[in-house]
Amino acid sequence: MNAAVAERLLLEADKSAELANAFRTVADAEADGQPKFTEVICRDLVRTVVCRVYALPLLELCHLIRAADGCAGGYEAFFWGGGPARAGAFRGYAERNLVSLPGIAAAKTGLKLDYPDGTFTVTYSRMPFLSAMLEFLVTVIGYRAVDDVIEPLRARGATGKQVSNAAKELASQLYAYLKEHLSSAQSQRKFRRLIAFLDRAADESPDAIDDALILDFWLEESASDKGADFKTFRAVYLAFLRFIQALAAAQNRDGLENVKVLGADRSAGEVEPHELEYGLETVGETENPLDKLADDPCSAVRFLTKTEARSLELLVESDTVADRLPLSVLRCEVFGAAQARITQGLRRRLAPDAFLALIDDSVAQDYAECRARFSALAEHVERSLLASFHALAEAGRAEAITVLLRLRPDLDYSSLAAHFAVTGPEDDNVIPFAPHGVAARFATLLAATDSLTEPLRNFVTDAKTAYAGLSRQGFRDRDMADPAVAGGFAAGEAPLFALRTRLSAFGQVLARAGGDDAAYGSQFERDRILFLRQFRVLYGADI
Amino acid sequence: MFEALDMIDTAIEPVATPRRVGFSDLYTFANDPDRDMAPELAEALARDEALEADLIRLLDRTAIYRFPKVAAASSGPALRRDGDLYRITLRPSRAEPTQIYVIIELADLEMPPPALIYVCRSGRPCHKHQLPVAHDGTIQILADLGSPLVEALRDGQAEVYLR
């Protein structure tokens, strides 16, 4: 590498770092001593900016700023004076502080703005994200610049055209910033190294990517002098994961012969990232069940602790790729965590002896323990679903039936048929359909357990026991009366089943791939020697 | 798409770094009477001119009154600032030479009196001080000559905000 190339790469890295720092500034923002934005919102923000799909959010934001400026204290107080950015907080703030202005009203679902050519509503649930977007804008463009752009919106009777112009101006300023700071040089470099390795090791066939190949790549590349892109095993695994996911999405959409490249050079067949939005969605960026459980309305129930959610992150992020690379997932969980401990030790500047001891003691669990942790999480999800059934049935929610049928599809439900017989004139060709009525009848039926078959009665009892056994928010008897909690259980059913499916599939793959604990034990011992040796190679010179 | 996904991973990768100062911190400082300027905010403001200008804009927007810099500042310290509705005077204490009275006179008694005074000097931390209750249109503070508030008020190039 010559000096000019090295300098360019370093400059590119600095630019990327500034953007990453801006995202971290948003993630670090606090309100009332708490994180202002949830992790889900922060991830959405990163995705929206990196994929350059911010045009519509900026238009929504400008409408919202116009409405928010109608609140006492102006738009600044609306976005920064109301505590952590949550839908309920924005709703409460608007209801308390919205001054009567023509054409702006607080509706049940959001703030409604009337214009001569139509109405625009910004929902309360959308506001936390838009608030993060504004926080990001004032971080990268500056408050004065943003305030100058939106100044015309603050006047009474601002038009839809003015709102649209302000959104375009913000988009233009953001585009200019990203042109300087959203550098893909590092990602391109990583991509080229993956391809070059595949070319050498596997005749460039992506199908050849397996656990052994990923480990070989890490052993070969982590100690190279080409920067820190692949120093950690986790970074290597994530790169291969993204490679496989990007390839699969491209295959799904256009076939391999039409694989597109991100970029602005249309003559070279490149496409803008927003045109690949479909592909990004297909790899789970918007349907992550952990994000759903952490966000409203599910967050009214504490289905998972932070530690539990963190333990599931990689598995969920990997989706079905985890089933193809089970050992790599275990290596990430066990040795990736060990490597994180070592890098923390580096920051603490430990004495050489203490640092070498830290490397030797860095591995805190083996594969059997890691499998046991996943099994325990699977059991917890199962218990949460059972408890959800109890809560939903008690609340008379129709979702209880869905949970029952999905948890126990093989039960004999014929005895219930008589209770749900549709009544009405025989010659009437209209079938009465009242799902809420069915749910209420179902709840009554469950309460009178004598009329249930034994398996169904056992299920109801198990569900009640599961509910009583969980003592976290949403699972206490006093939570039952809270409609938000019932809503949380109703919304939580789908992501919980998604987690159940993922954990179950991965558990089966681990059982098939590695066999018994003894086999995993010997695999772990081989890996431990190999990883510790590599850790000493990687970090020995740093002490 | 690999690049986009990889950039997302890189951007959200957790890093153990100190919390970063942002606009939320500016807003809290400008609006929360009980929150003094945190050292990390002072450091960020000293480092980042744009952030400092954002704070001035924010104070400008939220203040009930702003005294501009004292025009054609003389070589001596500024002892008085006159505005349409307010006047700030620094009057040395006769009893204690090391102390000085900061007197804020309000011309319009119908308006709610200010509760905070901010004094901002370029390149230095903005100073915020809670004001006592006004009596007959006058707010009076007895401060040490060397206190940050007095030092800042004596600087003719400082901008003063009441809110």
Side-chain angles (χ1 to χ4, degrees), chain A residues 213-538:
Chain A
L213 183 137
I214 291 175
L215 184 61
D216 286 346
F217 181 92
W218 179 66
L219 291 173
E220 187 175 316
E221 297 284 325
S222 59
S224 81
D225 61 350
K226 297 175 188 165
D229 292 348
F230 295 123
K231 197 160 189 176
T232 68
F233 185 79
R234 186 183 170 87
V236 168
Y237 172 75
L238 277 177
F240 276 101
L241 169 68
R242 296 318 189 186
F243 184 81
I244 292 169
Q245 288 176 327
L247 206 66
Q251 281 173 317
N252 283 345
R253 193 178 187 191
D254 296 321
L256 260 178
E257 65 281 9
N258 289 325
V259 173
K260 293 185 169 69
V261 180
L262 287 187
D265 185 357
R266 288 181 178 274
S267 62
E270 295 180 351
V271 294
E272 292 286 356
H274 70 263
E275 292 176 39
L276 290 174
E277 176 73 350
Y278 163 82
L280 290 172
E281 282 174 0
T282 61
V283 297
E285 282 297 323
T286 55
E287 294 298 319
N288 185 320
L290 294 175
D291 287 353
K292 283 194 163 185
L293 290 176
D295 209 357
D296 291 340
C298 298
S299 60
V301 180
R302 195 174 178 81
F303 289 109
L304 297 172
T305 63
K306 278 193 176 171
T307 308
E308 288 163 348
R310 209 161 285 138
S311 297
L312 288 166
E313 266 173 13
L314 189 70
L315 182 63
V316 169
E317 195 67 43
S318 304
D319 200 23
T320 53
V321 177
D323 304 342
R324 177 176 160 181
L325 303 168
L327 196 50
S328 296
V329 173
L330 290 185
R331 283 170 175 154
C332 267
E333 295 289 345
V334 172
F335 296 107
Q339 202 168 4
R341 271 175 225 116
I342 293 169
T343 50
Q344 279 169 10
L346 267 182
R347 288 194 194 99
R348 293 204 308 271
R349 297 181 187 279
L350 295 176
D353 285 353
F355 188 72
L356 288 175
L358 173 71
I359 290 179
D360 290 342
D361 294 338
S362 60
V363 184
Q365 62 173 343
D366 61 21
Y367 292 156
E369 287 165 327
C370 187
R371 285 181 71 196
R373 186 159 52 85
F374 279 124
S375 295
L377 285 165
E379 280 169 24
H380 172 72
V381 169
E382 194 74 14
R383 207 162 42 242
S384 299
L385 278 164
L386 266 174
S388 295
F389 168 81
H390 174 72
L392 289 165
E394 287 287 309
R397 301 281 301 229
E399 290 86 352
I401 301 170
T402 310
V403 175
L404 169 61
L405 292 176
R406 290 191 68 179
L407 279 176
R408 299 288 186 271
D410 300 328
L411 278 188
D412 178 8
Y413 296 104
S414 56
S415 64
L416 300 178
H419 300 279
F420 293 95
V422 175
T423 54
E426 277 186 16
D427 55 350
D428 194 338
N429 64 356
V430 176
I431 299 170
F433 181 70
H436 298 302
V438 171
R441 212 180 309 170
F442 184 66
T444 311
L445 193 62
L446 293 179
T449 49
D450 289 351
S451 61
L452 303 176
T453 59
E454 191 182 347
L456 198 50
R457 196 162 53 239
N458 289 341
F459 175 82
V460 171
T461 308
D462 289 347
K464 194 173 180 180
T465 308
Y467 185 90
L470 291 163
S471 59
R472 35 184 98 178
Q473 180 188 321
F475 294 94
R476 299 159 302 198
D477 284 341
R478 64 175 182 274
D479 298 330
M480 282 282 200
D482 185 348
V485 168
F489 277 113
E493 163 252 314
L496 277 179
F497 273 114
L499 287 182
R500 180 187 193 238
T501 304
R502 180 90 302 279
L503 280 161
S504 165
F506 189 63
Q508 286 172 25
V509 167
L510 285 181
R512 272 201 309 271
D516 55 17
D517 279 349
Y520 274 107
S522 51
Q523 177 70 55
F524 170 75
E525 283 308 323
R526 283 196 301 275
D527 283 354
R528 197 174 76 88
I529 294 166
L530 204 144
F531 270 87
L532 289 185
R533 193 166 58 209
Q534 189 71 357
F535 289 159
R536 280 176 172 258
V537 170
L538 291 178

Side-chain angles (χ1 to χ4, degrees), chain A residues 21 24 28 30 76-77 80 135 138 143-144 147-148 154 183-184 187-188 190-191 239 242 262 279-280, chain B residues 1-7 9-13 15 19-24 27 53-54 57-58 61:
Chain A
N21 284 342
R24 283 178 195 130
D28 282 348
E30 289 183 348
E76 292 94 343
W80 284 282
E135 191 91 29
V138 299
Y143 166 64
R144 279 174 309 152
D147 196 46
D148 286 343
R154 311 185 67 220
S183 162
S184 62
S187 300
Q188 286 172 0
K190 288 164 89 170
F191 187 76
R242 296 318 189 186
L262 287 187
L280 290 172
Chain B
M1 184 185 298
F2 171 82
E3 290 164 33
L5 291 169
D6 184 63
M7 281 191 277
D9 284 338
T10 305
I12 62 176
E13 188 185 3
V15 284
R19 200 182 80 78
R20 288 169 197 282
V21 169
F23 187 77
S24 291
Y27 186 87
D54 280 352
R57 167 72 69 97
L58 190 57
R61 285 283 302 274

